Amino acid sequence: MRNYQILVVEDDIEIQELIKQFLMTQNYIVEIASDGLEGMKQFNKQSFDLILLDVMMPNLRGFEMAQMIRKQSNVPIIMLTALEEEQDQMTGFDIGIDDYITKPFSFHVLIRRVEAVLRRSYDQSTDNHLVFKEVHVDCDAYKVYVNEVEILLTTKEFEILQLLLQNEKKVLTRERIIEKAWGYEYCSETRIIDTHIKNIRKKLDIPYIKTVKGIGYKIDE
């Protein structure tokens, strides 16, 4: 079994230590940082499979650190935040994070979220490819190509695109997409899906992802 390496960036030392100890009991290899600048130094020094990133930190906020990471890597990011405003969550998803956990949170829920994101990001048990027009999705490698040019998507964006392609020409509600892509009940506005779809459309630059007003989305010619 693979021992995943996780970077925890959290300025509250007590919470930082609790997260570290709890993750280590699950056999994860954990590195810690107390602010965004220290976190970027750790990130640039070694490879990580997942980053747990606090939003409100000194020196470099979580959103800014996530933006810097996304310029060079698609490593999964889960943001830890006391912010409950929907717009703050939208900001994170616009940047390309994979999940949000609002403080205070149960450590058991934290582990479930970590497991779900890692499973979606690195599980290569399937062996299939999806092709639609000039779009080619390699489900094993979590890679997307348009006209044979690789397009970098976040894990969540990949999951949503894959789901649409697997249900070609079928209308999927926002609730269905959330259920399938997140793998658990996600207590937030379904507008989060709209943000991800906007990002997918922008990156792929294709006309096939259709909005079905008042219902959801489908992929069609």
Side-chain angles (χ1 to χ4, degrees):
M1 181 179 177
R2 178 176 175 179
N3 292 112
Y4 291 102
Q5 297 197 69
I6 299 176
L7 174 61
V8 177
V9 188
E10 165 65 62
D11 65 324
D12 186 313
I13 302 302
E14 184 177 347
I15 294 176
Q16 177 193 103
E17 187 62 25
L18 285 171
I19 293 174
K20 177 182 178 181
Q21 294 302 323
F22 207 76
L23 290 172
M24 288 175 64
T25 65
Q26 307 300 308
N27 297 317
Y28 293 113
I29 300 169
V30 183
E31 297 290 340
I32 57 175
S34 298
D35 60 48
L37 289 179
E38 185 184 346
M40 283 306 301
K41 288 179 182 177
Q42 291 273 32
F43 176 76
N44 289 322
K45 188 170 63 175
Q46 67 183 95
S47 176
F48 293 97
D49 299 300
L50 174 70
I51 297 174
L52 291 176
L53 179 58
D54 189 25
V55 171
M56 304 299 292
M57 296 184 295
N59 298 325
L60 186 67
R61 296 179 73 235
F63 289 140
E64 284 73 32
M65 181 176 171
Q67 285 179 314
M68 294 173 68
I69 290 171
R70 279 291 170 261
K71 289 179 180 178
Q72 55 184 298
S73 173
N74 280 331
V75 61
I77 299 173
I78 299 177
M79 297 207 80
L80 309 173
T81 178
L83 302 175
E84 295 185 3
E85 292 296 324
E86 180 183 325
Q87 187 55 50
D88 292 311
Q89 296 191 22
M90 294 297 180
T91 298
F93 287 121
D94 277 336
I95 292 169
I97 71 163
D98 295 271
D99 206 349
Y100 242 109
I101 303 179
T102 303
K103 299 176 182 178
F105 52 82
S106 158
F107 283 98
H108 294 288
V109 169
L110 172 67
I111 291 298
R112 291 291 294 275
R113 297 283 184 91
V114 166
E115 289 174 346
V117 169
L118 287 172
R119 183 170 59 251
R120 290 193 301 270
S121 300
Y122 301 107
D123 182 7
Q124 298 184 1
S125 59
T126 59
D127 181 19
N128 55 42
H129 294 250
L130 298 169
V131 179
F132 184 86
K133 297 293 186 177
E134 63 267 36
V135 182
H136 173 206
V137 174
D138 184 339
C139 299
D140 284 352
Y142 263 60
K143 291 185 176 181
V144 178
Y145 302 88
V146 176
N147 290 320
E148 300 184 1
V149 176
E150 184 178 355
I151 307 297
L152 297 179
L153 298 183
T154 68
T155 304
K156 196 64 63 183
E157 291 162 359
F158 181 92
E159 295 279 335
I160 293 171
L161 177 63
Q162 182 182 38
L163 183 62
L164 290 171
L165 289 170
Q166 287 171 336
N167 293 273
E168 182 181 325
K169 299 184 180 182
K170 295 180 182 178
V171 179
L172 299 180
T173 65
R174 291 170 176 82
E175 292 79 9
R176 173 82 184 281
I177 295 171
I178 286 177
E179 177 188 347
K180 293 294 184 180
W182 268 260
Y184 53 81
E185 186 177 355
Y186 191 82
C187 299
S188 187
E189 292 294 327
T190 55
R191 277 183 50 211
I192 285 173
I193 297 301
D194 301 338
T195 300
H196 284 300
I197 292 290
K198 180 185 72 174
N199 292 339
I200 295 169
R201 283 171 169 161
K202 182 178 179 180
K203 291 180 179 181
L204 299 187
D205 192 24
I206 57 172
Y208 310 123
I209 301 176
K210 310 294 186 182
T211 301
V212 181
K213 190 174 181 180
I215 302 176
Y217 297 95
K218 68 175 179 176
I219 195 160
D220 202 342
E221 297 178 28

